[in-house]
Amino acid sequence: MLAYDLIGSGLIALGALSIATMRVGAVWGVSARGQTISAQAAASEGAPIRDGDRQYHQHSDASVVELEGNMGPRLIIVSNRVAVPEPGNRQMAGGLVVAVKAALRNRTGVWFGWSGKIDETETVEPRIVEHNHITYAVIDLSKNDFEEYYNGLANRVLWPILHYRVDLQEYSRADHSGYMRVNRQFADKLSAFLREDDVVWVHDYHLMPLARELRARGHLNPIGFFLHIPCAPLDILRTLPHHDEILGALTYYDLVGFQTENDRDNFAAYLLAMPGAKKGRGLTFEVEGRQTRIGAFPVSIETATYARLARNAARSPFAKEMTESLTGLRLVLGVDRLDYSKGIIQRINGFNRFLEDNPEWRSHVTLLQITPRSRSDIKDYAAIENEVTTLISRVNGRYGEASWTPIRYVNRSHSRAALAGIYRAANVALVTPLRDGMNLVAKEYVAAQDPENPGVLVLSQFAGAAAELTGALIVNPHESDAVAAALKRALGMPLSERRERHGPMLQHLLVHNIELWAADYLAALAETRQRPSLVSDLLAFLGPSRSSADRWAIPDARRQA
Ligand code: G6P
């Protein structure tokens, strides 16, 4: 799951809803020979400029991005990270990009978010890239926005709290303010091209207040939210200073989706503790007159496609070279973004214990740990990197021999195909997060196996995937002895038991695939609409005395007819 080529994604339609083909207005920026040209020069050519199979667009009128199209509702996906297929873009890690890309395949719509670039010049409108029927609309962030919104509130505060790591949060009012400011910027840019019948689907913790900002700008559209990471219990959520402004803002969405029932129930407890909140029918809650529905929608993968990819990848020169390099060693695999939530330290401790307790396995097994670096500006990420490298050297120093390295550690990312080949070659996958929303590595590992001779998944009980992948060996990653014992059992497991465990998991994933996830979520969103009076209520609430200069305020609504 960690690294993907950026080609070949598509946007998903809403099961029941049809999505119009989009036409983008004028053009800019990149000539047919790939040279950068001015917006005016591009506009004067009067037609989209192609660069290979890509098109780069920007509206000639700097005041507005006009994404034209007049046939029915469009699906507008919004997330902080957008996997724009541009030359030179780094391959991206993480479950969100994987899920959204797969969910949008072969469909048409818009994916809006951050370009991944930092630029001090304020961009008036998003940059538009079209590829494979997807329209990507991206904006840059300033250094200050990146620091306060992304590194700050999103990743130094919300990420640790939602992963139950209250001890790691570093809240500051400046970061809170920056988070709100960037959410307002997102709303302003989106607002310029939203049409009445668009369906908006917002993803992840970076953008919790976005629906409130869009409502304040007069948009009555169905707006859904999906949290890709865990939702902690009430007492933990309340450690977030001013949590009502951020978590409470989720009540401006029509539907708030979570990975598991446990996450959903944690948020239900939070909602019920909000002053004036009432439980309505089923999973609907009413807060200050707004109705919001919550639900569990476990994210998944393109199971059949992934299985095919792995089958083919196993025959690739890369996979052959990798397998030959093993010289008959059994392969245990760990694949994670370098993040303290992933339990990499606990996994290595478990592997260390396994080697200690089972000398007969030394020189017969190797752990390949693939771990692209992540969020390296944040000190906790630098710290985990130091800890991991020190621990790995210690284990390799203690047990290694001139002809055998116990742990191979790789920071570079791999293409989707290469990774699928590695999954298929691995006898055991060790997936040991301390807390994880879902963990798509676990699902991809299952899909990548040869059903006739499958490997064994060792999975943390704290990954969302543990609720579904019941054929895995489930472990508590905090207990090294348990990880070591599971590893021993996995390596010695007879073929019949491996098949018995793997078969039902694969069947489950073939049905509960990414397509079903998106269709279920969007069908639920289509059923759930905010009351039409919501926007007028909100405008009345904001009143003339609240100005956008107030750092805690929702900005003045851009009243629309
Ligand atoms: C997780 C989050 C995503 C995020 C990804 C990569 O999967 O749920 O929202 O995009 O990690 O992290 P990054 O900070 O590089 O976007």
Side-chain angles (χ1 to χ4, degrees), residues 163-196:
H163 283 87
Y164 298 56
R165 291 300 304 271
V166 173
D167 56 315
L168 297 182
Q169 75 156 312
E170 291 176 75
Y171 177 89
S172 80
R173 285 195 167 195
D175 289 350
H176 186 143
S177 181
Y179 179 81
M180 294 301 186
R181 183 178 65 245
V182 172
N183 270 270
R184 288 199 290 272
Q185 280 170 27
F186 267 59
D188 284 337
K189 310 285 185 214
L190 259 177
S191 192
F193 68 82
L194 263 194
R195 295 193 311 227
E196 266 182 20

PDB file of all heavy atoms in Angstrom, residues 163-196:
ATOM      1  N   HIS A 163      -5.172   8.860  17.621  1.00  0.00           N
ATOM      2  CA  HIS A 163      -4.500   7.558  17.786  1.00  0.00           C
ATOM      3  C   HIS A 163      -4.238   7.250  19.259  1.00  0.00           C
ATOM      4  O   HIS A 163      -3.353   6.460  19.579  1.00  0.00           O
ATOM      5  CB  HIS A 163      -3.183   7.533  17.004  1.00  0.00           C
ATOM      6  CG  HIS A 163      -3.375   7.351  15.531  1.00  0.00           C
ATOM      7  ND1 HIS A 163      -3.590   8.400  14.667  1.00  0.00           N
ATOM      8  CD2 HIS A 163      -3.418   6.231  14.756  1.00  0.00           C
ATOM      9  CE1 HIS A 163      -3.737   7.940  13.432  1.00  0.00           C
ATOM     10  NE2 HIS A 163      -3.648   6.627  13.459  1.00  0.00           N
ATOM     11  N   TYR A 164      -4.946   7.885  20.154  1.00  0.00           N
ATOM     12  CA  TYR A 164      -4.887   7.617  21.603  1.00  0.00           C
ATOM     13  C   TYR A 164      -3.557   8.043  22.220  1.00  0.00           C
ATOM     14  O   TYR A 164      -3.208   7.580  23.304  1.00  0.00           O
ATOM     15  CB  TYR A 164      -5.108   6.120  21.908  1.00  0.00           C
ATOM     16  CG  TYR A 164      -6.449   5.534  21.506  1.00  0.00           C
ATOM     17  CD1 TYR A 164      -6.929   5.604  20.208  1.00  0.00           C
ATOM     18  CD2 TYR A 164      -7.238   4.844  22.431  1.00  0.00           C
ATOM     19  CE1 TYR A 164      -8.136   5.034  19.831  1.00  0.00           C
ATOM     20  CE2 TYR A 164      -8.455   4.265  22.071  1.00  0.00           C
ATOM     21  CZ  TYR A 164      -8.892   4.363  20.766  1.00  0.00           C
ATOM     22  OH  TYR A 164     -10.081   3.794  20.390  1.00  0.00           O
ATOM     23  N   ARG A 165      -2.776   8.899  21.525  1.00  0.00           N
ATOM     24  CA  ARG A 165      -1.484   9.318  22.061  1.00  0.00           C
ATOM     25  C   ARG A 165      -1.574  10.760  22.557  1.00  0.00           C
ATOM     26  O   ARG A 165      -0.920  11.675  22.040  1.00  0.00           O
ATOM     27  CB  ARG A 165      -0.387   9.172  20.992  1.00  0.00           C
ATOM     28  CG  ARG A 165      -0.068   7.741  20.636  1.00  0.00           C
ATOM     29  CD  ARG A 165       0.425   6.920  21.819  1.00  0.00           C
ATOM     30  NE  ARG A 165       1.584   7.484  22.475  1.00  0.00           N
ATOM     31  CZ  ARG A 165       2.849   7.222  22.144  1.00  0.00           C
ATOM     32  NH1 ARG A 165       3.104   6.382  21.184  1.00  0.00           N
ATOM     33  NH2 ARG A 165       3.849   7.780  22.800  1.00  0.00           N
ATOM     34  N   VAL A 166      -2.389  10.925  23.590  1.00  0.00           N
ATOM     35  CA  VAL A 166      -2.584  12.237  24.193  1.00  0.00           C
ATOM     36  C   VAL A 166      -1.242  12.829  24.625  1.00  0.00           C
ATOM     37  O   VAL A 166      -1.018  14.034  24.538  1.00  0.00           O
ATOM     38  CB  VAL A 166      -3.488  12.073  25.431  1.00  0.00           C
ATOM     39  CG1 VAL A 166      -3.600  13.365  26.195  1.00  0.00           C
ATOM     40  CG2 VAL A 166      -4.849  11.579  25.005  1.00  0.00           C
ATOM     41  N   ASP A 167      -0.336  11.938  25.067  1.00  0.00           N
ATOM     42  CA  ASP A 167       0.961  12.403  25.565  1.00  0.00           C
ATOM     43  C   ASP A 167       1.782  13.117  24.497  1.00  0.00           C
ATOM     44  O   ASP A 167       2.664  13.898  24.812  1.00  0.00           O
ATOM     45  CB  ASP A 167       1.763  11.205  26.116  1.00  0.00           C
ATOM     46  CG  ASP A 167       1.938  10.095  25.067  1.00  0.00           C
ATOM     47  OD1 ASP A 167       0.947   9.750  24.393  1.00  0.00           O
ATOM     48  OD2 ASP A 167       3.070   9.590  24.926  1.00  0.00           O
ATOM     49  N   LEU A 168       1.505  12.865  23.218  1.00  0.00           N
ATOM     50  CA  LEU A 168       2.322  13.456  22.153  1.00  0.00           C
ATOM     51  C   LEU A 168       1.733  14.748  21.593  1.00  0.00           C
ATOM     52  O   LEU A 168       2.357  15.400  20.769  1.00  0.00           O
ATOM     53  CB  LEU A 168       2.498  12.450  21.008  1.00  0.00           C
ATOM     54  CG  LEU A 168       3.237  11.155  21.356  1.00  0.00           C
ATOM     55  CD1 LEU A 168       3.378  10.279  20.115  1.00  0.00           C
ATOM     56  CD2 LEU A 168       4.608  11.442  21.951  1.00  0.00           C
ATOM     57  N   GLN A 169       0.533  15.110  21.992  1.00  0.00           N
ATOM     58  CA  GLN A 169      -0.056  16.304  21.373  1.00  0.00           C
ATOM     59  C   GLN A 169       0.660  17.566  21.845  1.00  0.00           C
ATOM     60  O   GLN A 169       1.069  17.694  22.989  1.00  0.00           O
ATOM     61  CB  GLN A 169      -1.552  16.398  21.654  1.00  0.00           C
ATOM     62  CG  GLN A 169      -1.918  16.824  23.063  1.00  0.00           C
ATOM     63  CD  GLN A 169      -3.311  17.453  23.105  1.00  0.00           C
ATOM     64  OE1 GLN A 169      -3.627  18.314  22.306  1.00  0.00           O
ATOM     65  NE2 GLN A 169      -4.134  17.010  24.047  1.00  0.00           N
ATOM     66  N   GLU A 170       0.827  18.490  20.879  1.00  0.00           N
ATOM     67  CA  GLU A 170       1.482  19.772  21.199  1.00  0.00           C
ATOM     68  C   GLU A 170       0.588  20.883  20.669  1.00  0.00           C
ATOM     69  O   GLU A 170       0.822  21.408  19.589  1.00  0.00           O
ATOM     70  CB  GLU A 170       2.834  19.855  20.499  1.00  0.00           C
ATOM     71  CG  GLU A 170       3.869  18.899  21.027  1.00  0.00           C
ATOM     72  CD  GLU A 170       5.131  18.998  20.181  1.00  0.00           C
ATOM     73  OE1 GLU A 170       5.864  19.977  20.323  1.00  0.00           O
ATOM     74  OE2 GLU A 170       5.326  18.099  19.355  1.00  0.00           O
ATOM     75  N   TYR A 171      -0.436  21.197  21.427  1.00  0.00           N
ATOM     76  CA  TYR A 171      -1.417  22.174  20.976  1.00  0.00           C
ATOM     77  C   TYR A 171      -0.879  23.605  21.096  1.00  0.00           C
ATOM     78  O   TYR A 171      -0.220  23.935  22.075  1.00  0.00           O
ATOM     79  CB  TYR A 171      -2.686  22.038  21.829  1.00  0.00           C
ATOM     80  CG  TYR A 171      -3.739  23.058  21.478  1.00  0.00           C
ATOM     81  CD1 TYR A 171      -4.665  22.777  20.483  1.00  0.00           C
ATOM     82  CD2 TYR A 171      -3.779  24.297  22.113  1.00  0.00           C
ATOM     83  CE1 TYR A 171      -5.620  23.718  20.131  1.00  0.00           C
ATOM     84  CE2 TYR A 171      -4.731  25.234  21.762  1.00  0.00           C
ATOM     85  CZ  TYR A 171      -5.651  24.943  20.765  1.00  0.00           C
ATOM     86  OH  TYR A 171      -6.583  25.871  20.420  1.00  0.00           O
ATOM     87  N   SER A 172      -1.199  24.438  20.104  1.00  0.00           N
ATOM     88  CA  SER A 172      -0.963  25.882  20.277  1.00  0.00           C
ATOM     89  C   SER A 172      -2.100  26.631  19.587  1.00  0.00           C
ATOM     90  O   SER A 172      -2.667  26.152  18.600  1.00  0.00           O
ATOM     91  CB  SER A 172       0.374  26.304  19.679  1.00  0.00           C
ATOM     92  OG  SER A 172       0.246  26.464  18.277  1.00  0.00           O
ATOM     93  N   ARG A 173      -2.400  27.803  20.123  1.00  0.00           N
ATOM     94  CA  ARG A 173      -3.483  28.599  19.527  1.00  0.00           C
ATOM     95  C   ARG A 173      -3.132  29.043  18.120  1.00  0.00           C
ATOM     96  O   ARG A 173      -4.001  29.152  17.257  1.00  0.00           O
ATOM     97  CB  ARG A 173      -3.776  29.810  20.412  1.00  0.00           C
ATOM     98  CG  ARG A 173      -4.528  29.395  21.644  1.00  0.00           C
ATOM     99  CD  ARG A 173      -5.142  30.552  22.369  1.00  0.00           C
ATOM    100  NE  ARG A 173      -6.082  30.017  23.332  1.00  0.00           N
ATOM    101  CZ  ARG A 173      -6.997  30.734  23.937  1.00  0.00           C
ATOM    102  NH1 ARG A 173      -7.093  32.020  23.701  1.00  0.00           N
ATOM    103  NH2 ARG A 173      -7.819  30.165  24.793  1.00  0.00           N
ATOM    104  N   ALA A 174      -1.836  29.294  17.888  1.00  0.00           N
ATOM    105  CA  ALA A 174      -1.433  29.715  16.540  1.00  0.00           C
ATOM    106  C   ALA A 174      -1.745  28.595  15.539  1.00  0.00           C
ATOM    107  O   ALA A 174      -2.267  28.854  14.447  1.00  0.00           O
ATOM    108  CB  ALA A 174       0.055  30.042  16.522  1.00  0.00           C
ATOM    109  N   ASP A 175      -1.456  27.347  15.921  1.00  0.00           N
ATOM    110  CA  ASP A 175      -1.740  26.233  15.005  1.00  0.00           C
ATOM    111  C   ASP A 175      -3.246  26.047  14.802  1.00  0.00           C
ATOM    112  O   ASP A 175      -3.709  25.760  13.695  1.00  0.00           O
ATOM    113  CB  ASP A 175      -1.144  24.927  15.554  1.00  0.00           C
ATOM    114  CG  ASP A 175       0.389  24.917  15.463  1.00  0.00           C
ATOM    115  OD1 ASP A 175       0.941  25.821  14.807  1.00  0.00           O
ATOM    116  OD2 ASP A 175       1.005  24.011  16.054  1.00  0.00           O
ATOM    117  N   HIS A 176      -3.997  26.218  15.889  1.00  0.00           N
ATOM    118  CA  HIS A 176      -5.462  26.120  15.793  1.00  0.00           C
ATOM    119  C   HIS A 176      -5.977  27.151  14.782  1.00  0.00           C
ATOM    120  O   HIS A 176      -6.772  26.843  13.885  1.00  0.00           O
ATOM    121  CB  HIS A 176      -6.055  26.362  17.182  1.00  0.00           C
ATOM    122  CG  HIS A 176      -7.539  26.152  17.267  1.00  0.00           C
ATOM    123  ND1 HIS A 176      -8.139  25.597  18.364  1.00  0.00           N
ATOM    124  CD2 HIS A 176      -8.553  26.422  16.414  1.00  0.00           C
ATOM    125  CE1 HIS A 176      -9.449  25.537  18.183  1.00  0.00           C
ATOM    126  NE2 HIS A 176      -9.716  26.044  17.001  1.00  0.00           N
ATOM    127  N   SER A 177      -5.471  28.348  14.933  1.00  0.00           N
ATOM    128  CA  SER A 177      -5.901  29.426  14.057  1.00  0.00           C
ATOM    129  C   SER A 177      -5.507  29.135  12.598  1.00  0.00           C
ATOM    130  O   SER A 177      -6.285  29.368  11.666  1.00  0.00           O
ATOM    131  CB  SER A 177      -5.225  30.697  14.578  1.00  0.00           C
ATOM    132  OG  SER A 177      -5.585  31.766  13.838  1.00  0.00           O
ATOM    133  N   GLY A 178      -4.291  28.603  12.413  1.00  0.00           N
ATOM    134  CA  GLY A 178      -3.832  28.266  11.064  1.00  0.00           C
ATOM    135  C   GLY A 178      -4.695  27.170  10.439  1.00  0.00           C
ATOM    136  O   GLY A 178      -4.997  27.194   9.246  1.00  0.00           O
ATOM    137  N   TYR A 179      -5.107  26.213  11.255  1.00  0.00           N
ATOM    138  CA  TYR A 179      -5.964  25.106  10.791  1.00  0.00           C
ATOM    139  C   TYR A 179      -7.301  25.659  10.287  1.00  0.00           C
ATOM    140  O   TYR A 179      -7.776  25.326   9.202  1.00  0.00           O
ATOM    141  CB  TYR A 179      -6.167  24.153  11.961  1.00  0.00           C
ATOM    142  CG  TYR A 179      -7.049  22.947  11.710  1.00  0.00           C
ATOM    143  CD1 TYR A 179      -6.548  21.815  11.084  1.00  0.00           C
ATOM    144  CD2 TYR A 179      -8.367  22.922  12.154  1.00  0.00           C
ATOM    145  CE1 TYR A 179      -7.341  20.685  10.899  1.00  0.00           C
ATOM    146  CE2 TYR A 179      -9.164  21.808  11.978  1.00  0.00           C
ATOM    147  CZ  TYR A 179      -8.648  20.690  11.346  1.00  0.00           C
ATOM    148  OH  TYR A 179      -9.444  19.580  11.165  1.00  0.00           O
ATOM    149  N   MET A 180      -7.873  26.570  11.099  1.00  0.00           N
ATOM    150  CA  MET A 180      -9.150  27.177  10.692  1.00  0.00           C
ATOM    151  C   MET A 180      -8.954  28.011   9.415  1.00  0.00           C
ATOM    152  O   MET A 180      -9.795  27.999   8.522  1.00  0.00           O
ATOM    153  CB  MET A 180      -9.686  28.081  11.815  1.00  0.00           C
ATOM    154  CG  MET A 180     -10.073  27.328  13.060  1.00  0.00           C
ATOM    155  SD  MET A 180     -11.364  26.110  12.695  1.00  0.00           S
ATOM    156  CE  MET A 180     -11.758  25.525  14.303  1.00  0.00           C
ATOM    157  N   ARG A 181      -7.821  28.714   9.359  1.00  0.00           N
ATOM    158  CA  ARG A 181      -7.583  29.589   8.200  1.00  0.00           C
ATOM    159  C   ARG A 181      -7.487  28.760   6.917  1.00  0.00           C
ATOM    160  O   ARG A 181      -8.088  29.100   5.902  1.00  0.00           O
ATOM    161  CB  ARG A 181      -6.270  30.360   8.450  1.00  0.00           C
ATOM    162  CG  ARG A 181      -5.910  31.365   7.366  1.00  0.00           C
ATOM    163  CD  ARG A 181      -4.631  32.117   7.691  1.00  0.00           C
ATOM    164  NE  ARG A 181      -3.460  31.261   7.730  1.00  0.00           N
ATOM    165  CZ  ARG A 181      -2.738  31.023   8.828  1.00  0.00           C
ATOM    166  NH1 ARG A 181      -3.034  31.588   9.981  1.00  0.00           N
ATOM    167  NH2 ARG A 181      -1.696  30.208   8.766  1.00  0.00           N
ATOM    168  N   VAL A 182      -6.760  27.648   6.964  1.00  0.00           N
ATOM    169  CA  VAL A 182      -6.616  26.855   5.745  1.00  0.00           C
ATOM    170  C   VAL A 182      -7.955  26.212   5.373  1.00  0.00           C
ATOM    171  O   VAL A 182      -8.314  26.130   4.197  1.00  0.00           O
ATOM    172  CB  VAL A 182      -5.492  25.803   5.899  1.00  0.00           C
ATOM    173  CG1 VAL A 182      -5.466  24.849   4.716  1.00  0.00           C
ATOM    174  CG2 VAL A 182      -4.153  26.514   6.027  1.00  0.00           C
ATOM    175  N   ASN A 183      -8.733  25.816   6.364  1.00  0.00           N
ATOM    176  CA  ASN A 183     -10.073  25.286   6.054  1.00  0.00           C
ATOM    177  C   ASN A 183     -10.926  26.358   5.378  1.00  0.00           C
ATOM    178  O   ASN A 183     -11.699  26.057   4.466  1.00  0.00           O
ATOM    179  CB  ASN A 183     -10.741  24.739   7.313  1.00  0.00           C
ATOM    180  CG  ASN A 183     -10.424  23.262   7.521  1.00  0.00           C
ATOM    181  OD1 ASN A 183     -11.148  22.402   7.038  1.00  0.00           O
ATOM    182  ND2 ASN A 183      -9.314  22.978   8.193  1.00  0.00           N
ATOM    183  N   ARG A 184     -10.760  27.604   5.797  1.00  0.00           N
ATOM    184  CA  ARG A 184     -11.509  28.690   5.132  1.00  0.00           C
ATOM    185  C   ARG A 184     -11.021  28.873   3.695  1.00  0.00           C
ATOM    186  O   ARG A 184     -11.813  29.080   2.789  1.00  0.00           O
ATOM    187  CB  ARG A 184     -11.355  30.001   5.919  1.00  0.00           C
ATOM    188  CG  ARG A 184     -12.119  30.014   7.225  1.00  0.00           C
ATOM    189  CD  ARG A 184     -12.333  31.435   7.732  1.00  0.00           C
ATOM    190  NE  ARG A 184     -11.103  32.039   8.183  1.00  0.00           N
ATOM    191  CZ  ARG A 184     -10.621  31.925   9.430  1.00  0.00           C
ATOM    192  NH1 ARG A 184     -11.276  31.223  10.330  1.00  0.00           N
ATOM    193  NH2 ARG A 184      -9.491  32.515   9.756  1.00  0.00           N
ATOM    194  N   GLN A 185      -9.688  28.761   3.528  1.00  0.00           N
ATOM    195  CA  GLN A 185      -9.154  28.888   2.156  1.00  0.00           C
ATOM    196  C   GLN A 185      -9.719  27.782   1.260  1.00  0.00           C
ATOM    197  O   GLN A 185     -10.120  28.029   0.130  1.00  0.00           O
ATOM    198  CB  GLN A 185      -7.632  28.723   2.157  1.00  0.00           C
ATOM    199  CG  GLN A 185      -6.854  29.950   2.566  1.00  0.00           C
ATOM    200  CD  GLN A 185      -5.371  29.603   2.779  1.00  0.00           C
ATOM    201  OE1 GLN A 185      -4.841  28.662   2.198  1.00  0.00           O
ATOM    202  NE2 GLN A 185      -4.718  30.358   3.637  1.00  0.00           N
ATOM    203  N   PHE A 186      -9.727  26.567   1.771  1.00  0.00           N
ATOM    204  CA  PHE A 186     -10.289  25.457   0.998  1.00  0.00           C
ATOM    205  C   PHE A 186     -11.739  25.770   0.625  1.00  0.00           C
ATOM    206  O   PHE A 186     -12.162  25.564  -0.503  1.00  0.00           O
ATOM    207  CB  PHE A 186     -10.237  24.157   1.818  1.00  0.00           C
ATOM    208  CG  PHE A 186      -9.006  23.313   1.603  1.00  0.00           C
ATOM    209  CD1 PHE A 186      -7.740  23.826   1.850  1.00  0.00           C
ATOM    210  CD2 PHE A 186      -9.102  22.002   1.165  1.00  0.00           C
ATOM    211  CE1 PHE A 186      -6.599  23.046   1.664  1.00  0.00           C
ATOM    212  CE2 PHE A 186      -7.976  21.212   0.974  1.00  0.00           C
ATOM    213  CZ  PHE A 186      -6.724  21.726   1.229  1.00  0.00           C
ATOM    214  N   ALA A 187     -12.493  26.269   1.616  1.00  0.00           N
ATOM    215  CA  ALA A 187     -13.914  26.558   1.374  1.00  0.00           C
ATOM    216  C   ALA A 187     -14.062  27.653   0.323  1.00  0.00           C
ATOM    217  O   ALA A 187     -14.923  27.571  -0.558  1.00  0.00           O
ATOM    218  CB  ALA A 187     -14.593  26.953   2.680  1.00  0.00           C
ATOM    219  N   ASP A 188     -13.228  28.684   0.407  1.00  0.00           N
ATOM    220  CA  ASP A 188     -13.328  29.778  -0.570  1.00  0.00           C
ATOM    221  C   ASP A 188     -13.087  29.266  -1.986  1.00  0.00           C
ATOM    222  O   ASP A 188     -13.826  29.594  -2.904  1.00  0.00           O
ATOM    223  CB  ASP A 188     -12.298  30.876  -0.257  1.00  0.00           C
ATOM    224  CG  ASP A 188     -12.722  31.734   0.932  1.00  0.00           C
ATOM    225  OD1 ASP A 188     -13.940  31.780   1.226  1.00  0.00           O
ATOM    226  OD2 ASP A 188     -11.839  32.319   1.576  1.00  0.00           O
ATOM    227  N   LYS A 189     -12.054  28.465  -2.144  1.00  0.00           N
ATOM    228  CA  LYS A 189     -11.715  27.981  -3.495  1.00  0.00           C
ATOM    229  C   LYS A 189     -12.793  27.025  -4.011  1.00  0.00           C
ATOM    230  O   LYS A 189     -13.194  27.100  -5.162  1.00  0.00           O
ATOM    231  CB  LYS A 189     -10.372  27.230  -3.512  1.00  0.00           C
ATOM    232  CG  LYS A 189      -9.238  27.948  -2.861  1.00  0.00           C
ATOM    233  CD  LYS A 189      -8.685  29.085  -3.701  1.00  0.00           C
ATOM    234  CE  LYS A 189      -7.471  29.673  -3.017  1.00  0.00           C
ATOM    235  NZ  LYS A 189      -7.239  31.060  -3.144  1.00  0.00           N
ATOM    236  N   LEU A 190     -13.252  26.159  -3.125  1.00  0.00           N
ATOM    237  CA  LEU A 190     -14.284  25.204  -3.544  1.00  0.00           C
ATOM    238  C   LEU A 190     -15.578  25.917  -3.890  1.00  0.00           C
ATOM    239  O   LEU A 190     -16.253  25.587  -4.862  1.00  0.00           O
ATOM    240  CB  LEU A 190     -14.603  24.277  -2.376  1.00  0.00           C
ATOM    241  CG  LEU A 190     -14.007  22.889  -2.354  1.00  0.00           C
ATOM    242  CD1 LEU A 190     -14.413  22.199  -1.069  1.00  0.00           C
ATOM    243  CD2 LEU A 190     -14.519  22.080  -3.539  1.00  0.00           C
ATOM    244  N   SER A 191     -15.891  26.892  -3.049  1.00  0.00           N
ATOM    245  CA  SER A 191     -17.134  27.622  -3.188  1.00  0.00           C
ATOM    246  C   SER A 191     -17.265  28.225  -4.579  1.00  0.00           C
ATOM    247  O   SER A 191     -18.349  28.284  -5.151  1.00  0.00           O
ATOM    248  CB  SER A 191     -17.143  28.721  -2.122  1.00  0.00           C
ATOM    249  OG  SER A 191     -18.397  29.287  -2.026  1.00  0.00           O
ATOM    250  N   ALA A 192     -16.111  28.632  -5.148  1.00  0.00           N
ATOM    251  CA  ALA A 192     -16.135  29.298  -6.448  1.00  0.00           C
ATOM    252  C   ALA A 192     -16.610  28.370  -7.565  1.00  0.00           C
ATOM    253  O   ALA A 192     -17.091  28.843  -8.579  1.00  0.00           O
ATOM    254  CB  ALA A 192     -14.744  29.841  -6.769  1.00  0.00           C
ATOM    255  N   PHE A 193     -16.441  27.067  -7.412  1.00  0.00           N
ATOM    256  CA  PHE A 193     -16.906  26.229  -8.517  1.00  0.00           C
ATOM    257  C   PHE A 193     -17.955  25.197  -8.138  1.00  0.00           C
ATOM    258  O   PHE A 193     -18.358  24.374  -8.953  1.00  0.00           O
ATOM    259  CB  PHE A 193     -15.725  25.584  -9.273  1.00  0.00           C
ATOM    260  CG  PHE A 193     -14.947  24.545  -8.526  1.00  0.00           C
ATOM    261  CD1 PHE A 193     -15.395  23.240  -8.442  1.00  0.00           C
ATOM    262  CD2 PHE A 193     -13.745  24.873  -7.941  1.00  0.00           C
ATOM    263  CE1 PHE A 193     -14.660  22.270  -7.776  1.00  0.00           C
ATOM    264  CE2 PHE A 193     -12.994  23.919  -7.278  1.00  0.00           C
ATOM    265  CZ  PHE A 193     -13.446  22.619  -7.186  1.00  0.00           C
ATOM    266  N   LEU A 194     -18.453  25.262  -6.886  1.00  0.00           N
ATOM    267  CA  LEU A 194     -19.496  24.302  -6.496  1.00  0.00           C
ATOM    268  C   LEU A 194     -20.820  24.650  -7.159  1.00  0.00           C
ATOM    269  O   LEU A 194     -21.223  25.804  -7.182  1.00  0.00           O
ATOM    270  CB  LEU A 194     -19.699  24.340  -4.981  1.00  0.00           C
ATOM    271  CG  LEU A 194     -18.985  23.310  -4.121  1.00  0.00           C
ATOM    272  CD1 LEU A 194     -19.584  23.324  -2.727  1.00  0.00           C
ATOM    273  CD2 LEU A 194     -19.070  21.916  -4.724  1.00  0.00           C
ATOM    274  N   ARG A 195     -21.475  23.624  -7.676  1.00  0.00           N
ATOM    275  CA  ARG A 195     -22.819  23.834  -8.225  1.00  0.00           C
ATOM    276  C   ARG A 195     -23.831  23.222  -7.275  1.00  0.00           C
ATOM    277  O   ARG A 195     -23.511  22.342  -6.479  1.00  0.00           O
ATOM    278  CB  ARG A 195     -22.934  23.165  -9.594  1.00  0.00           C
ATOM    279  CG  ARG A 195     -22.029  23.778 -10.619  1.00  0.00           C
ATOM    280  CD  ARG A 195     -22.405  23.320 -12.002  1.00  0.00           C
ATOM    281  NE  ARG A 195     -22.569  21.886 -12.077  1.00  0.00           N
ATOM    282  CZ  ARG A 195     -22.046  21.127 -13.032  1.00  0.00           C
ATOM    283  NH1 ARG A 195     -21.324  21.670 -13.984  1.00  0.00           N
ATOM    284  NH2 ARG A 195     -22.264  19.837 -13.046  1.00  0.00           N
ATOM    285  N   GLU A 196     -25.068  23.690  -7.410  1.00  0.00           N
ATOM    286  CA  GLU A 196     -26.112  23.283  -6.464  1.00  0.00           C
ATOM    287  C   GLU A 196     -26.266  21.774  -6.342  1.00  0.00           C
ATOM    288  O   GLU A 196     -26.565  21.251  -5.282  1.00  0.00           O
ATOM    289  CB  GLU A 196     -27.451  23.844  -6.914  1.00  0.00           C
ATOM    290  CG  GLU A 196     -27.782  25.152  -6.259  1.00  0.00           C
ATOM    291  CD  GLU A 196     -29.142  25.653  -6.707  1.00  0.00           C
ATOM    292  OE1 GLU A 196     -29.956  24.850  -7.192  1.00  0.00           O
ATOM    293  OE2 GLU A 196     -29.355  26.862  -6.565  1.00  0.00           O
TER     294      GLU A 196
END
